[in-house]
Amino acid sequence: MNGNSDFPYEINEVEPEELAELQKTFNLAFTDGYVRVGPKGYFVRSGYRKEAAKIYNMSLRPDDIWVVTFPKSGTTWVQELVWMVANDFDYVKSSSIPLVDRFPFLEMSTIVNSDKAQAKMKELCGGNKKHMEIAEMLTKSVSLAEQLPSPRFIKTHLPLTLLPPSLLDTTKVVYVARDARDVAVSYFHHYKLMTFMGYYGDFKDYWASFVKGDVEDCPYFEHVKEFWEQRQHPNLLFLFYEDLLKDLPAGVRRVAQFLGKHPSEAQVTALSEYLTFDNFKKNKSVNFEVFKELGWSDKNMSFMRKGKAGDWRDYFDAEMAAQAQQWIDDNLRGTDLCFPEHDPK
């Protein structure tokens, strides 16, 4: 598909040979496959075709607040942080309304809008009317986001070039970046967790796919660098996951300043405690329990896993670590992008 006046980028099917190779480790039964988008070849589900122009031309509002990340970069954590600060620390409302309703995932419909996906959803719902209604709603995520009352809170994993061109000039955007190796480990477990992703390879296979760009929303570094290049824009707050782990109160203050809020130190302290990993993992409002209810995720696994930096060292052998460092160096060469050092312990 060539770009047109509604959407400027080409959308190309992943070659059959490459798809067949992927199917050795990725269970693609829940989708119609993958496509690559634009000159950077962003790897997304084929259902993106139906939503590309709608997302790109989406109407924006000055009071929108978006959280954008490459997947598994601390997205849910930062969504809750941003929502709480923007809503004056309303713990009652936060606990009573799931995060997925307060801060919806824009492109969810691209995952579940194909005929195969919808057939699989019906199978997993097993005739449960409530579950079917939830599943049906997820197929309309873009339309529902457009209809949200202001102020809207929107989460997306799409790169900047695939989002509305006036995004940064119109809305507030918080972007979070995380060490690519930790992202890959966390994303691997996410693929294992979500039954509709159905990954059945090992981590070494997964890492090879990640580096090659055959994992959703890759290439990773292009995603990060697009936002890094805009980090001085007054409507963009660029955060590193590792910095938040090291000093969460400082992160809360940065978000508050960005959003024009003036919390007391007591409020900052209380929110930081609320957002500690142990507390966050127990918080049913943010743990996507609905996916377990729908049969979409493994009931024996948790959406929140470890919430730490440097976990990749437990998964990379010496050869993989050296290869990963070379890959990182190659991708950062010529940029001033530098990820924070973190304590390997």
Side-chain angles (χ1 to χ4, degrees):
M1 168 182 151
N2 292 322
N4 53 47
S5 59
D6 294 326
F7 185 72
Y9 303 113
E10 290 190 353
I11 300 178
N12 299 306
E13 295 290 338
V14 171
E15 294 297 326
E17 297 79 8
E18 185 178 1
L19 201 59
E21 185 65 26
L22 282 171
Q23 284 177 318
K24 293 178 181 177
T25 50
F26 287 80
N27 176 10
L28 305 182
F30 196 26
T31 73
D32 291 322
Y34 289 91
V35 294
R36 294 193 185 278
V37 185
K40 295 177 182 176
Y42 284 109
F43 190 82
V44 294
R45 302 220 176 205
S46 60
Y48 176 76
R49 283 186 181 278
K50 295 180 182 179
E51 309 286 12
K54 191 185 294 186
I55 292 171
Y56 191 79
N57 297 291
M58 182 177 173
S59 295
L60 302 173
R61 305 174 197 165
D63 56 358
D64 283 350
I65 299 176
W66 292 50
V67 166
V68 188
T69 69
F70 188 90
K72 310 312 293 180
S73 297
T75 319
T76 306
W77 195 37
V78 173
Q79 281 178 264
E80 185 71 347
L81 190 167
V82 167
W83 190 93
M84 289 293 289
V85 171
N87 287 275
D88 300 317
F89 307 89
D90 191 341
Y91 291 94
V92 174
K93 189 173 182 180
S94 169
S95 63
S96 62
I97 303 174
L99 183 63
V100 291
D101 294 328
R102 291 181 279 122
F103 218 130
F105 181 24
L106 178 64
E107 66 269 23
M108 184 68 196
S109 55
T110 69
I111 300 172
V112 296
N113 64 11
S114 71
D115 291 341
K116 287 183 181 178
Q118 291 185 39
K120 187 65 175 177
M121 282 194 299
K122 288 179 181 178
E123 176 190 323
L124 291 171
C125 288
N128 184 300
K129 184 178 178 181
K130 178 188 173 184
H131 292 180
M132 286 298 297
E133 288 174 353
I134 295 172
E136 176 64 22
M137 184 176 68
L138 294 174
T139 68
K140 302 173 181 177
S141 62
V142 179
S143 298
L144 291 173
E146 291 180 320
Q147 298 165 20
L148 287 171
S150 293
R152 296 185 301 186
F153 296 84
I154 296 173
K155 158 196 164 180
T156 181
H157 294 312
L158 292 174
L160 184 59
T161 48
L162 302 188
L163 294 172
S166 63
L167 182 71
L168 292 181
D169 292 332
T170 309
T171 72
K172 291 280 192 182
V173 179
V174 177
Y175 185 85
V176 191
R178 185 184 188 186
D179 187 304
R181 294 161 295 192
D182 279 330
V183 166
V185 169
S186 185
Y187 213 178
F188 166 70
H189 285 283
H190 184 74
Y191 268 69
K192 290 284 194 180
L193 167 70
M194 306 306 288
T195 54
F196 65 79
M197 295 177 118
Y199 187 78
Y200 43 82
D202 61 20
F203 178 71
K204 198 163 190 174
D205 290 333
Y206 187 85
W207 173 250
S209 294
F210 188 87
V211 169
K212 189 178 176 183
D214 286 342
V215 170
E216 284 178 57
D217 299 301
C218 281
Y220 169 80
F221 278 109
E222 293 303 324
H223 197 295
V224 175
K225 286 190 285 189
E226 285 188 1
F227 279 93
W228 179 253
E229 289 165 3
Q230 298 295 325
R231 68 192 181 281
Q232 300 303 331
H233 196 292
N235 283 341
L236 174 64
L237 177 62
F238 192 106
L239 299 172
F240 286 105
Y241 178 82
E242 291 80 8
D243 285 341
L244 292 173
L245 280 179
K246 186 176 181 181
D247 190 345
L248 185 54
V252 172
R253 293 187 200 100
R254 285 191 67 191
V255 169
Q257 182 180 20
F258 178 66
L259 298 180
K261 298 290 185 176
H262 305 282
S264 67
E265 278 305 300
Q267 287 175 315
V268 170
T269 299
L271 183 60
S272 299
E273 178 64 23
Y274 169 81
L275 291 171
T276 59
F277 182 76
D278 286 345
N279 287 334
F280 205 60
K281 192 169 184 176
K282 299 171 190 172
N283 187 338
K284 292 184 178 180
S285 175
V286 301
N287 275 325
F288 296 92
E289 293 296 316
V290 66
F291 288 156
K292 289 185 178 180
E293 191 178 324
L294 291 170
W296 289 16
S297 63
D298 189 326
K299 288 182 170 60
N300 297 313
M301 296 176 69
S302 172
F303 185 83
M304 304 293 171
R305 202 174 59 86
K306 290 187 177 180
K308 60 183 285 188
D311 191 40
W312 64 268
R313 290 178 174 85
D314 293 334
Y315 292 81
F316 285 67
D317 59 28
E319 181 181 358
M320 289 173 68
Q323 184 261 349
Q325 189 60 59
Q326 184 63 56
W327 176 68
I328 291 169
D329 292 344
D330 289 345
N331 277 280
L332 295 184
R333 190 171 294 116
T335 79
D336 56 358
L337 174 57
C338 182
F339 285 77
E341 294 291 332
H342 51 77
D343 186 346
K345 297 179 183 179

